[in-house]
mmCIF file of all heavy atoms in Angstrom:
data_model
loop_
_atom_site.group_PDB
_atom_site.id
_atom_site.type_symbol
_atom_site.label_atom_id
_atom_site.label_comp_id
_atom_site.label_asym_id
_atom_site.label_seq_id
_atom_site.Cartn_x
_atom_site.Cartn_y
_atom_site.Cartn_z
ATOM 1 N N CYS A 65 24.297 5.810 -11.420
ATOM 2 C CA CYS A 65 22.879 5.841 -11.023
ATOM 3 C C CYS A 65 22.662 6.788 -9.847
ATOM 4 O O CYS A 65 23.574 7.054 -9.073
ATOM 5 C CB CYS A 65 22.427 4.461 -10.550
ATOM 6 S SG CYS A 65 22.358 3.260 -11.852
ATOM 7 N N SER A 66 21.424 7.235 -9.723
ATOM 8 C CA SER A 66 21.022 7.981 -8.517
ATOM 9 C C SER A 66 19.906 7.201 -7.836
ATOM 10 O O SER A 66 19.118 6.513 -8.510
ATOM 11 C CB SER A 66 20.459 9.350 -8.863
ATOM 12 O OG SER A 66 21.357 10.063 -9.635
ATOM 13 N N PHE A 67 19.856 7.345 -6.532
ATOM 14 C CA PHE A 67 18.825 6.670 -5.748
ATOM 15 C C PHE A 67 18.037 7.713 -4.963
ATOM 16 O O PHE A 67 18.621 8.547 -4.275
ATOM 17 C CB PHE A 67 19.459 5.675 -4.768
ATOM 18 C CG PHE A 67 20.098 4.501 -5.461
ATOM 19 C CD1 PHE A 67 21.368 4.622 -6.022
ATOM 20 C CD2 PHE A 67 19.425 3.297 -5.579
ATOM 21 C CE1 PHE A 67 21.959 3.541 -6.681
ATOM 22 C CE2 PHE A 67 20.000 2.222 -6.237
ATOM 23 C CZ PHE A 67 21.272 2.342 -6.795
ATOM 24 N N VAL A 68 16.727 7.641 -5.091
ATOM 25 C CA VAL A 68 15.850 8.549 -4.352
ATOM 26 C C VAL A 68 15.030 7.709 -3.382
ATOM 27 O O VAL A 68 14.483 6.668 -3.767
ATOM 28 C CB VAL A 68 14.890 9.291 -5.322
ATOM 29 C CG1 VAL A 68 13.985 10.241 -4.554
ATOM 30 C CG2 VAL A 68 15.662 10.043 -6.378
ATOM 31 N N GLY A 69 14.951 8.170 -2.148
ATOM 32 C CA GLY A 69 14.195 7.425 -1.135
ATOM 33 C C GLY A 69 12.701 7.485 -1.400
ATOM 34 O O GLY A 69 12.187 8.513 -1.865
ATOM 35 N N LEU A 70 12.020 6.388 -1.125
ATOM 36 C CA LEU A 70 10.569 6.352 -1.309
ATOM 37 C C LEU A 70 9.858 6.927 -0.086
ATOM 38 O O LEU A 70 8.928 7.716 -0.221
ATOM 39 C CB LEU A 70 10.141 4.888 -1.538
ATOM 40 C CG LEU A 70 8.650 4.588 -1.587
ATOM 41 C CD1 LEU A 70 7.964 5.352 -2.718
ATOM 42 C CD2 LEU A 70 8.404 3.086 -1.737
ATOM 43 N N ASP A 71 10.320 6.534 1.092
ATOM 44 C CA ASP A 71 9.597 6.953 2.291
ATOM 45 C C ASP A 71 10.448 6.751 3.544
ATOM 46 O O ASP A 71 11.515 6.127 3.489
ATOM 47 C CB ASP A 71 8.262 6.196 2.418
ATOM 48 C CG ASP A 71 8.406 4.679 2.311
ATOM 49 O OD1 ASP A 71 9.546 4.183 2.223
ATOM 50 O OD2 ASP A 71 7.374 3.994 2.318
ATOM 51 N N GLU A 72 9.943 7.297 4.627
ATOM 52 C CA GLU A 72 10.635 7.129 5.919
ATOM 53 C C GLU A 72 9.664 7.372 7.059
ATOM 54 O O GLU A 72 8.676 8.108 6.909
ATOM 55 C CB GLU A 72 11.821 8.113 6.002
ATOM 56 C CG GLU A 72 12.756 7.891 7.172
ATOM 57 C CD GLU A 72 13.334 6.459 7.248
ATOM 58 O OE1 GLU A 72 12.618 5.574 7.775
ATOM 59 O OE2 GLU A 72 14.475 6.243 6.784
ATOM 60 N N TRP A 73 9.951 6.723 8.167
ATOM 61 C CA TRP A 73 9.184 6.954 9.402
ATOM 62 C C TRP A 73 9.664 8.279 9.992
ATOM 63 O O TRP A 73 10.872 8.431 10.257
ATOM 64 C CB TRP A 73 9.469 5.848 10.425
ATOM 65 C CG TRP A 73 9.351 4.447 9.936
ATOM 66 C CD1 TRP A 73 10.377 3.636 9.551
ATOM 67 C CD2 TRP A 73 8.156 3.668 9.811
ATOM 68 N NE1 TRP A 73 9.895 2.401 9.181
ATOM 69 C CE2 TRP A 73 8.529 2.389 9.331
ATOM 70 C CE3 TRP A 73 6.804 3.919 10.047
ATOM 71 C CZ2 TRP A 73 7.613 1.375 9.093
ATOM 72 C CZ3 TRP A 73 5.892 2.903 9.808
ATOM 73 C CH2 TRP A 73 6.292 1.652 9.343
ATOM 74 N N VAL A 74 8.742 9.216 10.213
ATOM 75 C CA VAL A 74 9.141 10.504 10.789
ATOM 76 C C VAL A 74 9.683 10.292 12.202
ATOM 77 O O VAL A 74 9.123 9.512 12.983
ATOM 78 C CB VAL A 74 7.937 11.489 10.778
ATOM 79 C CG1 VAL A 74 8.202 12.703 11.664
ATOM 80 C CG2 VAL A 74 7.649 11.927 9.345
ATOM 81 N N SER A 75 10.794 10.961 12.496
ATOM 82 C CA SER A 75 11.471 10.966 13.809
ATOM 83 C C SER A 75 12.332 9.740 14.075
ATOM 84 O O SER A 75 12.903 9.620 15.150
ATOM 85 C CB SER A 75 10.491 11.087 14.984
ATOM 86 O OG SER A 75 9.717 12.211 14.846
ATOM 87 N N ILE A 76 12.404 8.819 13.137
ATOM 88 C CA ILE A 76 13.243 7.639 13.362
ATOM 89 C C ILE A 76 14.614 7.891 12.705
ATOM 90 O O ILE A 76 14.686 8.145 11.501
ATOM 91 C CB ILE A 76 12.586 6.367 12.759
ATOM 92 C CG1 ILE A 76 11.210 6.114 13.391
ATOM 93 C CG2 ILE A 76 13.504 5.158 12.917
ATOM 94 C CD1 ILE A 76 11.217 5.820 14.879
ATOM 95 N N PRO A 77 15.682 7.824 13.487
ATOM 96 C CA PRO A 77 17.011 8.135 12.930
ATOM 97 C C PRO A 77 17.547 7.036 12.010
ATOM 98 O O PRO A 77 17.142 5.867 12.142
ATOM 99 C CB PRO A 77 17.897 8.270 14.178
ATOM 100 C CG PRO A 77 17.168 7.565 15.261
ATOM 101 C CD PRO A 77 15.714 7.536 14.921
ATOM 102 N N PRO A 78 18.448 7.406 11.116
ATOM 103 C CA PRO A 78 18.979 6.442 10.141
ATOM 104 C C PRO A 78 19.700 5.254 10.780
ATOM 105 O O PRO A 78 19.772 4.194 10.177
ATOM 106 C CB PRO A 78 19.969 7.255 9.313
ATOM 107 C CG PRO A 78 19.930 8.633 9.801
ATOM 108 C CD PRO A 78 18.965 8.750 10.920
ATOM 109 N N GLN A 79 20.218 5.439 12.000
ATOM 110 C CA GLN A 79 20.932 4.331 12.668
ATOM 111 C C GLN A 79 19.966 3.291 13.210
ATOM 112 O O GLN A 79 20.388 2.188 13.561
ATOM 113 C CB GLN A 79 21.771 4.826 13.857
ATOM 114 C CG GLN A 79 22.682 5.996 13.586
ATOM 115 C CD GLN A 79 21.939 7.321 13.670
ATOM 116 O OE1 GLN A 79 21.272 7.712 12.727
ATOM 117 N NE2 GLN A 79 22.079 8.042 14.767
ATOM 118 N N ASN A 80 18.689 3.645 13.302
ATOM 119 C CA ASN A 80 17.714 2.676 13.823
ATOM 120 C C ASN A 80 17.471 1.612 12.760
ATOM 121 O O ASN A 80 17.095 1.922 11.626
ATOM 122 C CB ASN A 80 16.409 3.410 14.151
ATOM 123 C CG ASN A 80 15.382 2.501 14.811
ATOM 124 O OD1 ASN A 80 15.146 1.386 14.359
ATOM 125 N ND2 ASN A 80 14.783 2.989 15.874
ATOM 126 N N GLU A 81 17.627 0.352 13.138
ATOM 127 C CA GLU A 81 17.540 -0.701 12.119
ATOM 128 C C GLU A 81 16.136 -0.861 11.517
ATOM 129 O O GLU A 81 15.969 -1.533 10.494
ATOM 130 C CB GLU A 81 18.038 -2.034 12.678
ATOM 131 C CG GLU A 81 17.216 -2.569 13.812
ATOM 132 C CD GLU A 81 17.858 -3.776 14.489
ATOM 133 O OE1 GLU A 81 19.080 -3.948 14.383
ATOM 134 O OE2 GLU A 81 17.101 -4.517 15.128
ATOM 135 N N GLY A 82 15.150 -0.227 12.125
ATOM 136 C CA GLY A 82 13.801 -0.269 11.551
ATOM 137 C C GLY A 82 13.566 0.813 10.514
ATOM 138 O O GLY A 82 12.530 0.824 9.841
ATOM 139 N N SER A 83 14.523 1.736 10.375
ATOM 140 C CA SER A 83 14.314 2.835 9.421
ATOM 141 C C SER A 83 14.514 2.340 7.986
ATOM 142 O O SER A 83 15.257 1.384 7.731
ATOM 143 C CB SER A 83 15.267 3.997 9.711
ATOM 144 O OG SER A 83 16.595 3.647 9.386
#
Side-chain angles (χ1 to χ4, degrees):
C65 291
S66 305
F67 292 80
V68 180
L70 173 60
D71 52 4
E72 190 55 278
W73 310 99
V74 166
S75 304
I76 301 297
Q79 310 83 279
N80 185 314
E81 64 189 22
S83 70

